[in-house]
Amino acid sequence: MTQDDDAIHVPDDADLGSPALAAALASGDAEAIGRALRHDVVVIPLLRTPDGELQIRVFEFADEPPALMLFSSVHALRAFLADEPQGRFDVQRGTVLRDFLREHRATIAHVMFDRAGPHPVGAPTDAVLAALEPRPDDDLVRWIASS
């Protein structure tokens, strides 16, 4: 495998991701998960298409519809992609997923967070889209100050 010219190589022990999303997943609190997605970052697996473009990677498993896998940290992604140590990813604000999920909601029925644990959480695509919608009480400045 050759190195990508545009890749930033992240060490396996890098502490990169969203502690707030990890805590929300551990609590199982849907509101806290939504808030973390709206205000913080999420680790998004990518793949390179045959024409060289990077795109969000959707996973298909036997007897399951295609699913979007999202991660609270690079550690959680690496645990999921254990057999792919060079897995590509991006770290983005969760809100960047709104357009992608709207566009692909007919084929992506489910979103899974931190599938390899320790606190995997799954939700229907429509529920994640609803969680990504801005709320009247969202206050990004307060969120940043309290982090």
Side-chain angles (χ1 to χ4, degrees), residues 3-147:
Q3 291 186 356
D4 296 318
D5 291 335
D6 59 347
I8 297 173
H9 297 281
V10 177
D12 286 343
D13 62 350
D15 188 20
L16 186 61
S18 171
L21 179 57
L25 294 171
S27 75
D29 180 347
E31 281 299 313
I33 294 168
R35 205 170 19 265
L37 287 174
R38 289 190 305 277
H39 295 303
D40 214 342
V41 296
V42 64
V43 177
I44 306 168
L46 302 176
L47 63 82
R48 188 170 300 281
T49 64
D51 62 354
E53 295 293 318
L54 284 174
Q55 68 180 29
I56 294 174
R57 182 174 177 183
V58 175
F59 292 83
E60 294 186 53
F61 301 100
D63 301 324
E64 294 180 36
L68 177 62
M69 300 290 163
L70 301 174
F71 300 90
S72 62
S73 68
V74 172
H75 296 294
L77 172 68
R78 296 261 207 267
F80 177 72
L81 295 177
D83 60 341
E84 295 180 43
Q86 300 299 318
R88 293 178 178 88
F89 65 90
D90 198 2
V91 178
Q92 291 284 334
R93 295 255 329 263
T95 53
V96 304
L97 296 167
R98 275 194 306 242
D99 290 341
F100 177 80
L101 288 172
R102 284 182 188 133
E103 181 180 343
H104 299 285
R105 76 188 320 162
T107 55
I108 299 172
H110 200 76
V111 178
M112 189 73 193
F113 299 90
D114 288 359
R115 183 171 175 137
H119 305 287
V121 173
T125 299
D126 286 339
V128 175
L129 276 168
L132 288 169
E133 289 301 318
R135 303 286 197 278
D137 63 336
D138 281 350
D139 185 339
L140 186 57
V141 173
R142 185 176 61 211
W143 172 268
I144 293 169
S146 68
S147 296

